[in-house]
Amino acid sequence: MTAASAPGKIILFGEHAVVSGVSALGGAIDLRARVRLEDTPGKTSIEARDLTLQGFRLDLITGQIVSADAMRATRYVSSVLKEYGARDITVKVDSDLPLAAGLGSSAAIVVATLAALNEHMDLGLSRIDVASQAYKIEKAVQQGLGSPMDTALATYGGYLQVSRDISPLDLPQLDMAVGSTKQPHDTRCEVERVQGLLAQHPDIVGPIFQAIGAISSKAVALLRDMRLEELGELMNVNHGLLEAVGVGTKELSELVYAARAGEALGAKITGAGGGGCMIALPSSEGSTRLIAALKQAGGRAFLVKTGCEGVRVVRDR
Ligand code: MEV
């Protein structure tokens, strides 16, 4: 048996702009996807549980599945298995991360599966290989544009600054409230829409992206020095710029304004927008009130820690 787990992520600053090579700042969170591989001669299958979906099973030989939603998770696992010709194993997946919510669940599943398979089949992949192969596989499944942010955070953990390059950053952990609209979103569709807007109005959207990049860069020093009020202000500015490129929704706005009224230091969309999640930075005393305000506004709300550990592998020989 080989097991691996990998974290989800939040993007603190810079989503969408990062797709055009502008600097973004993300942190791995303390919610994880877990994968177990077992040798099952003659049978290759994927079982997934607790993905905030109903349980399901997919047999790769018969192609039998129960639940259409399940396809989303199993597509990522089966793509990893196919890439490396893995057979005669059962993959069991479970995850704390809601799917299609902008918290990096698909990247965490791909990275955990790949890292477990690497150990199980002695593929000889380094951590850098895991990050780059996982990015390739996730992108192929999503058939779209996208940055390596999610797969890099699932692999390395901690905080990363991503632009054309990926740089790990040594920054303190933060408590962050996450508010989910409970509406699934399609990252590819949102990225295509924003990139289309950039192509149509480069003179307008280009400077918006540059401003987002400046926020991400400035935020690094603020986070390092724990200047949280200023960090919160920059979250509010970044949110306004994301609204400007059209990825806000009524439900996301309601959660953002509820968080600000609930005394958050700042609040913004996290991830692609168009549904999914927002984040809010609690004041030192105010996380209980903040979570209550988000729930009252109709969201699912929980606290996460940022800057958490990357992929972890355990082999039971
Ligand atoms: C999605 O979590 C973040 C986006 O910037 C897309 C990406 O970076 O791949 C919208």
Side-chain angles (χ1 to χ4, degrees), residues 9 11 14-19 102 145-150 187 191 271-272:
K9 66 93 197 16
I11 299 187
E15 47 276 271
H16 286 290
V18 68
V19 177
L145 303 157
S147 74
M149 185 108 184
D150 293 14
T187 299
V191 169

Side-chain angles (χ1 to χ4, degrees), residues 27 81 86 116 226 291 306:
L81 301 188
M226 290 298 266
I291 294 291
T306 58

Side-chain angles (χ1 to χ4, degrees), residues 107-234:
I109 289 171
V110 172
V111 167
T113 308
L114 183 52
L117 202 63
N118 184 33
E119 182 72 24
H120 202 76
M121 291 175 67
D122 291 324
L123 297 173
L125 302 176
S126 67
R127 206 161 252 246
I128 294 175
D129 298 332
V130 169
S132 66
Q133 285 298 103
Y135 175 47
K136 201 184 90 187
I137 292 168
E138 193 197 22
K139 202 166 159 176
V141 176
Q142 289 174 349
Q143 300 172 328
L145 303 157
S147 74
M149 185 108 184
D150 293 14
T151 38
L153 279 165
T155 308
Y156 301 114
Y159 291 96
L160 297 177
Q161 190 162 35
V162 176
S163 51
R164 305 240 178 254
D165 304 315
I166 298 173
S167 319
L169 298 167
D170 188 13
L171 296 171
Q173 287 196 333
L174 266 189
D175 284 324
M176 193 67 83
V178 176
S180 165
T181 59
K182 300 182 247 178
Q183 296 172 313
H185 67 170
D186 184 337
T187 299
R188 180 179 144 210
C189 163
E190 296 304 319
V191 169
E192 278 175 2
R193 212 146 50 82
V194 174
Q195 290 294 314
L197 198 66
L198 174 65
Q200 205 181 346
H201 305 291
D203 51 333
I204 296 166
V205 179
I208 292 176
F209 278 8
Q210 291 311 317
I212 291 176
I215 291 172
S216 305
S217 303
K218 200 164 202 174
V220 173
L222 297 181
L223 177 50
R224 182 169 294 128
D225 299 340
M226 290 298 266
R227 286 155 60 187
L228 298 186
E229 286 187 10
E230 288 161 86
L231 201 66
E233 272 166 17
L234 291 190

Side-chain angles (χ1 to χ4, degrees), residues 234-302:
L234 291 190
M235 288 171 72
N236 292 339
V237 178
N238 194 161
H239 179 75
L241 295 170
L242 286 168
E243 287 279 12
V245 295
V247 299
T249 64
K250 177 172 171 285
E251 290 76 9
L252 281 166
S253 291
E254 279 169 2
L255 294 184
V256 165
Y257 283 102
R260 290 179 191 162
E263 293 176 31
L265 298 177
K268 66 179 277 292
I269 291 166
T270 190
C277 292
M278 50 72 69
I279 51 173
L281 183 59
S283 59
S284 52
E285 310 279 283
S287 48
T288 313
R289 198 158 1 143
L290 176 53
I291 294 291
L294 290 170
K295 285 185 178 161
Q296 207 179 355
R300 198 164 86 80
F302 44 94

